């Protein structure tokens, strides 16, 4: 007893459909030697169809079709380059009578000639194909192209149903467009198992782009002999009349189809799908019509490819526009992973997904539907094993990672975007489980028993649509999804690589800056201490009180602090004259004379810091060794703008001790000579003339610009202006002072009390200040922006709500902390001084007293 053998449609993959040993009956076939001289094989119907009496095999071809026709056939063969492009001759008249359309091609040293009766009333199918090609050439998108093509093909060929059938990634197919007779059921949107079209059939569709069945109940016409003397069958891969698999004919009969034709859709050398035509009665298409359909199909394939490439380009451009924002933002972020984590939601909007996550530097961040955090390390390890530095995706994660079953409801689809070639950093896109219903034309897993065709299979008899619920699967990732992911990967890898380059470059620069800063700091601290020591030890002039001496000393030290703070911190640049005044303020009221003159010039942060170093070095040297070290010395500093809009500054000392070049170049000398050329791209010239040091500096226009203001007059700065009398506007007022440094707060309190303020409420934190405001109603407030552990912005918001005027105090670049809503608030510079603080408060109060305009 034979054991039960369970088989399914994959057995079709072993059927040798390219050598069926027979043809369809609507034509006949002759197979000749390589010179098209002698007939070696023929189809059994050749003698009757061609009207030839006698033995065909072994007969000279001239005797069957005539010398002129053989001449034409050989000429056509000479022009033919590839077997998949058979030469065609239409309306060939034979000596015995009859007119035929002829196809001829060479395959494996055999000339195969196919004859099909022609129809003189067939019209001009090539003209029709040309018109249809014009119809689809201007279609703008893929969906419309698929819809229009199905309708046009049905109109051109007259079949009852025309479908565009697309192969999916897993080999199954889906009807993506359909044009049909109104009384037929629709197959649109239905899925068909991969086994419906065996692998060798797909390979043949790729080689021979037209396949026709005129009648599924046709009687096979044998090729004789079936095998040649060497035992080889005749390969009919490129023959129009090739017989088709009986299994396929049975398949069509079960669907009620009597005739069919398919046109291969080939995109980028791969079988994208088919234009499948069904007719419910026998139907034969003339060779000329099939050739027209083939031309139309090839143009459709090319146009489809163009639109797909356009879609890819549009997709990439859309992703690039979205990702360009990250490229721009990346330049302002020190940590790239922080940038990505902050914008996960924006990244999720680029690609259709239910969740997105970032695993970078061993840290996880997620948005939307994602796996639980405890599952992420295992997911990252799995991704490293499958992605290999490229985009990788699955819509059924549990099939590849069984542990994912515990969270399949939230995540069943995964797309991995590697951010480095090392299996370490990943951007993940997730899709939820989608319990969907697929309309399968039959059960893709059904088994079949051997039937009346012997060892071949009897395909399923019923095509009732059945429902398959898909569990633990997500919506599949499309080509467009993968294209977007690749664009994301390219952009993010570019950001990461660029960021790493910048970090490497910045580390190198930072090392150099750190070494220079250490040397500078050591030198500067010594200089500052030396200057302070000199200032403190300077003899008190006769008839000058201790109070005056202390005030003068305090101003000098404060000016030094201002200059030093600008060097170390930087504050977005500043006015050149302010910098000069700050550097030279300690040496006023000495015996030397200082004059300044030039237009209002603004220096950017880089130039401000560089020139602060240079001017401080020149000032301290002048005070210790040059014109400002003795009575009668003079310093003239002038500047102007050149025709190229560069700023040219001159430093001229005179009347001091004799000057000679230094015996060695110390740090200060190198700083003065090289800082401006090296850091700013300008020029420095220092001349040690006997009568006094002379220096010239050229600051490029990109670092210095003239601003609208009155020029600085060339007045003598040797006599300090008298301290401004505290403004009477402050007398008797209550002031809220928020300052976290106790000694500084005490200093400010003294300034305010000295100006007549009645009460100063001092606090060191925002929380305490808000608590004090519950019981206190100050007239004005002074708020230090940066309080160390926080800011004074909450206090500012509360004061603004109450209508109480206030100023911000900042000296370390904290102006960047001030939000746009408070951008108009007056700002005074720290360290505090009475000349800056008191007038600012007086002006603020006067402004607050002005009546507000109303509409």
């Amino acid at each position: 007893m034979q054991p039960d053998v369970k088989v399914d449609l994959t057995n079709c993959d072993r059927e040798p459909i390219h050598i069926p040993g027979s043809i369809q009956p609507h034509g006949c076939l002759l197979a000749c030697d390589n010179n098209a001289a002698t007939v070696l094989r023929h189809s059994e119907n050749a003698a009757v169809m061609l009207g030839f009496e006698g033995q065909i095999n072994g007969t000279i071809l001239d005797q069957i079709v005539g010398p002129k026709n053989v001449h034409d056939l050989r000429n056509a063969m000479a022009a033919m380059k590839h077997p998949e492009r058979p030469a065609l001759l239409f309306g060939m008249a034979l000596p015995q009578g009859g007119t035929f359309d002829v196809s001829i091609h060479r395959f494996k040293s055999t000339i195969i000639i196919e004859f099909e009766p022609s129809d003189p009333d067939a019209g001009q199918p090539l003209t029709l194909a040309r018109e249809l090609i014009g119809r689809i050439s201007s279609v703008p998108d893929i969906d419309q192209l698929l819809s229009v093509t199905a309708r046009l093909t049905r109109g051109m060929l007259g079949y009852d149903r025309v479908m565009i059938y697309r192969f999916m990634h897993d080999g199954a197919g889906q009807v993506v467009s359909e044009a049909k007779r109104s009384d037929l059921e629709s197959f649109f949107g239905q899925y068909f198992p991969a086994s419906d079209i065996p692998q060798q059939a797909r390979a043949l569709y790729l080689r021979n782009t037209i396949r026709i069945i005129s009648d599924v109940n046709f009687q096979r016409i044998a090729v004789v002999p079936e095998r040649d003397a060497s035992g080889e069958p005749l390969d009919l891969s490129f023959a129009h009349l090739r017989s088709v698999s009986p299994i396929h004919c049975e398949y069509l009969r079960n669907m009620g189809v009597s005739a069919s034709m398919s046109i291969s859709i080939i995109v980028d050398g791969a079988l994208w799908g088919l234009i499948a035509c069904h007719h419910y009665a026998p139907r034969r298409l003339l060779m000329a019509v099939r050739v027209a359909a083939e031309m139309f199909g090839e143009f459709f394939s090319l146009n489809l490819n163009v639109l797909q490439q356009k879609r890819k380009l549009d997709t990439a451009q859309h992703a690039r526009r979205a990702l360009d924002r990250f490229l721009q933002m990346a330049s302002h972020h020190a940590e790239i992973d922080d940038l990505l984590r902050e914008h996960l939601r924006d990244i999720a909007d680029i690609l259709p997904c239910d969740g997105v996550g970032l695993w970078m530097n061993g840290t996880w961040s997620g948005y939307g539907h994602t796996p639980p955090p405890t599952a992420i390390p295992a997911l990252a390890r799995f991704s490293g094993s499958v992605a290999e530095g490229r985009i990788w995706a699955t819509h059924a994660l549990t099939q590849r990672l069984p542990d994912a079953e515990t969270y399949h409801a939230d995540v069943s689809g995964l797309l991995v975007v590697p951010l480095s070639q090392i299996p370490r950093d990943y951007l993940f896109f997730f899709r939820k489980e989608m319990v969907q219903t697929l309309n399968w034309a039959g059960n893709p897993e059904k088994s079949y028993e051997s039937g009346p065709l012997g060892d071949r299979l009897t395909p399923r008899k019923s095509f009732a649509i059945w429902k398959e619920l898909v569990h633990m699967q997500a919506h599949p990732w499309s080509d467009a999804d993968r294209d977007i992911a690749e664009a994301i990967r390219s952009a993010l890898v570019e950001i990461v690589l660029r960021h790493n380059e910048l970090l490497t470059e910045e580390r190198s620069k930072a090392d150099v800056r750190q070494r220079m800063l250490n040397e500078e700091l050591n030198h500067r601290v010594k200089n500052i201490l030396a200057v302070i020591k000199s200032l403190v030890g300077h003899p008190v002039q006769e008839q000058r009180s201790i109070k005056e001496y202390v005030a003068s000393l305090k101003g000098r030290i404060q000016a030094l602090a201002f200059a030093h703070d600008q060097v170390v911190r930087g504050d977005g640049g500043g006015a050149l004259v302010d910098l000069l005044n700050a550097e030279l303020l300690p040496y006023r009221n000495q015996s030397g004379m200082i004059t300044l003159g030039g237009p209002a010039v603004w220096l950017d942060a880089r130039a401000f810091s560089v020139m602060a170093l240079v001017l401080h070095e020149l000032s301290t040297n002048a005070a210790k060794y040059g014109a400002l070290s003795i009575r009668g010395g003079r310093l003239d500093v002038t500047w102007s703008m050149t025709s190229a809009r560069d700023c040219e500054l001159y430093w001229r000392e005179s009347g001091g001790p004799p000057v000679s070049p230094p015996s060695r170049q110390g740090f200060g000398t190198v700083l003065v000579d090289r800082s401006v050329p090296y850091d700013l791209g300008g020029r420095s010239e220092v001349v040690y003339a006997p009568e006094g040091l002379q220096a010239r500096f050229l600051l490029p226009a990109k670092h210095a610009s003239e601003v609208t203001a009155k020029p600085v007059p060339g007045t003598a700065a040797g006599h300090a202006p008298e301290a401004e009398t505290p403004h009477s506007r402050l007398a008797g007022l209550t002031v809220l002072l928020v300052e976290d440094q106790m000694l500084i707060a005490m200093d400010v309190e003294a300034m305010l009390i000295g100006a007549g303020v009645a009460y100063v409420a001092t606090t060191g934190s925002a929380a305490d200040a808000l608590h004090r405001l519950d019981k206190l109603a100050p007239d004005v407030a002074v708020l230090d922006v940066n309080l160390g552990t926080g800011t004074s912005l909450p206090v500012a918001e509360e004061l603004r709500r109450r209508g109480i005027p206030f100023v911000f105090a900042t000296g370390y670049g904290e102006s960047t902390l001030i939000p746009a809503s408070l951008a108009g608030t007056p700002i005074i510079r720290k360290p505090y001084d009475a000349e800056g603080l008191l007038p600012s408060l007086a002006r603020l109060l006067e402004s607050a007293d002005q009546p507000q305009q109303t509409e």
Side-chain angles (χ1 to χ4, degrees):
M1 182 177 179
Q2 292 288 337
D4 293 336
V5 179
K6 299 199 71 177
V7 292
D8 58 42
L9 286 182
T10 58
N11 294 68
C12 294
D13 291 340
R14 298 191 293 273
E15 187 175 14
I17 60 176
H18 62 300
I19 48 173
S22 61
I23 65 169
Q24 299 182 57
H26 58 271
C28 66
L29 176 146
L30 300 178
C32 305
D33 58 17
N34 198 37
N35 296 317
T38 304
V39 178
L40 303 178
R41 304 186 199 188
H42 68 282
S43 61
E44 287 183 332
N45 64 344
V48 175
M49 187 170 284
L50 299 178
F52 181 78
E53 297 180 358
Q55 179 67 32
I56 292 182
N57 288 346
T59 300
I60 301 301
L61 186 60
D62 286 6
Q63 299 176 12
I64 301 174
V65 301
K68 179 183 180 303
N69 289 332
V70 170
H71 177 74
D72 292 342
L73 288 171
R74 286 174 176 165
N75 284 342
M77 281 292 300
M80 188 188 68
K81 300 298 184 183
H82 304 286
E84 61 268 22
R85 290 284 187 183
L88 303 173
L89 296 171
F90 297 102
M92 177 182 287
L94 299 186
Q96 299 86 354
T99 305
F100 295 87
D101 295 333
V102 181
S103 170
I104 179 171
H105 71 276
R106 177 186 287 109
F107 188 65
K108 294 183 178 180
S109 74
T110 299
I111 302 298
I112 299 175
I113 308 172
E114 301 173 81
F115 298 84
E116 297 183 36
S118 62
D119 183 356
D121 300 324
Q124 298 294 328
L126 293 180
T127 301
L128 177 60
R130 182 181 178 188
E131 292 177 359
L132 297 184
I133 286 172
R135 295 274 189 94
I136 67 172
S137 62
S138 59
V139 174
D141 62 76
I142 293 176
D143 293 336
Q144 186 177 348
L145 176 67
L146 298 177
S147 176
V148 169
T149 298
R151 295 199 305 271
L152 292 178
T153 303
R154 182 167 184 257
M156 175 175 67
L157 303 180
Y159 281 90
D160 291 331
R161 185 197 305 271
V162 174
M163 300 169 288
I164 296 182
Y165 181 88
R166 180 177 185 181
F167 293 114
M168 313 303 287
H169 291 290
D170 58 359
Q174 183 187 20
V175 178
V176 295
S177 180
E178 181 184 50
K180 66 179 183 64
R181 213 172 63 198
S182 60
D183 60 316
L184 297 176
E185 65 172 326
S186 176
F187 291 159
F188 178 70
Q190 290 187 21
Y191 291 80
F192 291 77
S195 56
D196 274 11
I197 302 179
Q199 290 302 319
Q200 83 276 27
R202 299 182 192 222
L204 206 52
Y205 280 126
L206 195 59
R207 300 168 71 185
N208 193 345
T209 58
I210 289 286
R211 195 267 303 151
I212 185 170
I213 302 175
S214 298
D215 186 348
V216 297
N217 297 309
F218 70 89
Q219 296 296 319
R220 295 169 179 276
I221 306 300
V223 175
V224 292
E226 184 177 354
R227 297 180 182 273
D228 62 12
S230 62
E232 290 294 325
L234 183 63
D235 194 316
L236 298 178
S237 295
F238 300 103
H240 287 254
L241 297 172
R242 173 178 56 84
S243 182
V244 296
S245 166
I247 297 177
H248 185 65
C249 290
E250 182 75 5
Y251 182 96
L252 294 175
R253 281 193 294 270
N254 290 340
M255 297 178 70
V257 175
S258 296
S260 74
M261 190 189 79
S262 65
I263 306 170
S264 301
I265 303 172
I266 299 173
V267 176
D268 287 335
L271 187 63
W272 184 92
L274 301 170
I275 300 177
C277 307
H278 287 176
H279 206 64
Y280 293 86
R283 181 174 182 78
R284 182 177 77 91
L285 288 186
L286 295 174
M287 184 181 293
V289 177
R290 297 200 307 270
V291 171
E294 182 182 26
M295 292 175 57
F296 176 73
E298 289 184 353
F299 184 82
F300 167 80
S301 297
L302 291 173
N303 203 23
L304 176 63
N305 190 19
V306 168
L307 291 179
Q308 286 193 155
Q309 295 302 322
K310 180 179 179 296
R311 175 180 285 181
K312 289 181 180 180
L313 180 61
D314 292 342
T315 298
Q317 289 176 342
H318 169 74
R320 173 57 66 181
R321 285 192 295 269
L323 292 168
D324 277 345
R325 297 193 300 270
F326 294 97
L327 289 171
Q328 295 171 2
M329 290 185 290
S331 61
H332 305 294
H333 279 70
E335 298 297 336
I336 189 64
D337 52 345
D338 289 345
L339 169 67
L340 297 178
R341 295 182 204 284
E342 291 172 8
H343 294 87
L344 282 180
R345 184 168 187 171
D346 296 330
I347 295 174
D349 292 337
I350 300 176
L351 191 152
C353 65
D354 298 304
V356 64
L358 178 69
W359 175 258
M360 195 169 190
N361 297 324
T363 303
W364 165 253
S365 295
Y367 168 78
H369 291 266
T370 65
T374 54
I376 299 304
L379 185 64
R381 290 192 297 271
F382 166 76
S383 299
S385 67
V386 296
E388 298 179 345
R390 293 173 294 184
I391 299 297
W392 186 88
T394 177
H395 68 286
L397 181 59
T398 56
Q399 295 179 12
R400 303 298 300 271
L401 183 63
D403 291 346
E405 187 172 345
T406 59
Y407 51 84
H408 72 269
D410 284 324
V411 173
S412 285
L414 168 68
L415 189 148
V416 181
V417 180
L419 300 181
S420 62
Q421 291 298 321
I422 302 174
R424 186 187 63 185
D425 301 329
Y426 303 98
L427 181 68
F428 297 113
F429 290 90
F430 304 107
R431 283 182 177 169
K432 297 189 299 182
E433 177 191 37
M434 182 178 68
V435 180
Q436 59 180 341
T437 300
L438 297 182
N439 292 332
W440 290 93
N443 187 335
E445 297 177 354
K446 186 181 291 183
S447 296
Y448 304 89
E449 302 296 334
S450 294
L453 298 173
D455 59 354
R456 287 173 173 157
L457 300 177
T458 299
R460 51 186 171 268
K461 303 293 184 181
S462 173
F463 282 82
I465 296 175
W466 67 286
K467 306 295 186 180
E468 180 192 13
L469 294 178
V470 179
H471 294 283
M472 290 187 285
Q473 293 188 24
H475 186 78
W477 304 96
S478 66
D479 290 339
D481 296 331
R482 287 172 168 81
D483 291 340
I484 293 174
E486 181 58 37
I488 293 173
R489 188 195 69 82
S490 299
L492 295 188
V493 167
E494 179 181 345
I495 292 173
V496 171
L497 291 177
R498 177 58 180 157
H499 187 260
N500 289 340
E501 291 175 359
L502 291 175
L503 285 179
T504 302
E505 181 181 353
E506 192 60 32
R507 288 191 190 101
S508 177
K509 291 182 178 179
D511 290 341
V512 174
R513 286 196 298 266
Q514 186 62 44
R515 288 194 298 271
M516 188 172 181
L517 180 61
N518 289 340
E519 294 179 9
E520 174 207 339
L521 190 59
N522 182 48
H523 175 77
R524 303 251 324 147
V525 168
K526 289 181 179 179
N527 272 354
I528 290 173
L529 292 175
V531 170
I532 293 176
K533 179 180 178 182
S534 175
L535 294 175
V536 172
H538 189 76
V540 180
Q541 297 178 2
E542 294 182 2
Q543 298 179 349
R544 191 178 188 189
S545 68
I546 293 297
K547 183 177 180 181
E548 292 175 329
Y549 169 74
V550 170
S552 175
L553 179 60
K554 182 178 179 181
R556 294 168 182 173
I557 294 176
Q558 189 155 354
L560 285 174
F562 167 77
H564 182 69
D565 179 62
Q566 290 299 319
V567 170
V568 177
R569 306 279 185 170
D571 195 19
L576 174 59
V577 67
D578 292 341
L579 180 60
L580 284 164
N581 280 325
E583 294 292 352
L584 294 172
L585 182 61
Y587 315 114
R588 292 174 177 173
N589 285 337
Q590 296 189 150
S591 53
M593 175 69 69
I594 303 172
T595 63
L596 307 177
V601 173
W602 180 266
L603 304 181
D604 66 10
R606 188 175 184 86
F608 200 92
S609 297
V610 169
M611 290 307 296
L613 282 170
V614 171
L615 294 174
H616 186 75
E617 196 66 38
L618 290 172
S619 301
T620 54
N621 285 341
K624 289 191 290 185
Y625 315 115
L628 301 183
S629 63
I630 63 174
R631 182 181 298 274
R634 181 181 180 89
L635 170 63
D636 296 289
V637 183
T638 59
W639 60 95
S640 61
M641 304 302 290
T642 69
S643 59
R645 310 313 300 161
D646 300 329
C647 178
E648 194 172 37
L649 183 143
Y650 288 95
W651 178 285
R652 299 182 181 90
E653 296 182 28
S654 59
V659 175
S660 60
S663 57
R664 65 178 185 86
Q665 284 208 336
F667 180 80
T669 304
V670 172
L671 191 65
V672 172
D673 288 340
R674 298 185 184 178
S675 290
V676 172
Y678 184 84
D679 288 328
L680 305 180
R683 291 198 296 271
S684 295
E685 297 175 11
V686 180
V687 178
Y688 297 93
E691 63 275 13
L693 185 141
Q694 312 274 324
R696 172 182 175 271
F697 303 98
L698 186 70
L699 310 181
K702 64 181 179 180
H703 295 295
S705 58
E706 186 173 4
V707 295
T708 303
K710 294 181 179 180
V712 179
T715 55
H719 303 287
E722 293 298 326
E724 189 173 327
T725 303
H727 201 284
S728 58
R729 185 66 179 78
L730 302 177
L733 300 183
T734 298
V735 178
L736 172 65
L737 172 64
V738 182
E739 169 62 59
D740 63 331
Q741 295 294 322
M742 183 185 68
L743 294 178
I744 296 177
M746 291 175 61
D747 195 21
V748 176
E749 284 183 18
M751 296 178 195
L752 295 173
I753 296 298
V757 170
Y759 177 64
V760 180
T762 304
T763 179
S765 69
D768 187 43
L770 293 172
H771 179 71
R772 297 284 293 273
L773 286 173
D774 289 340
K775 302 178 180 179
L776 179 70
D779 299 292
V780 69
V782 179
L783 309 180
D784 184 9
V785 175
N786 193 340
L787 299 176
T789 58
T791 70
S792 61
L793 298 182
V795 183
E797 294 289 356
E798 177 62 19
L799 292 173
R800 185 175 66 170
R801 188 185 68 82
R802 296 189 182 191
I804 299 173
F806 59 92
V807 298
F808 281 128
T810 174
Y812 308 120
E814 296 110 343
S815 56
T816 57
L817 299 176
I818 300 174
S821 60
L822 298 173
T825 304
I827 298 175
I828 60 175
R829 189 183 301 277
K830 294 178 62 177
Y832 299 94
D833 63 81
E835 291 80 3
L837 174 62
L838 300 180
S840 295
L841 293 178
R843 288 193 297 271
L844 180 64
L845 290 168
E846 290 172 359
S847 176
D849 288 342
Q850 296 294 323
Q852 299 296 317
Q853 293 183 355
T854 58
E855 295 183 359

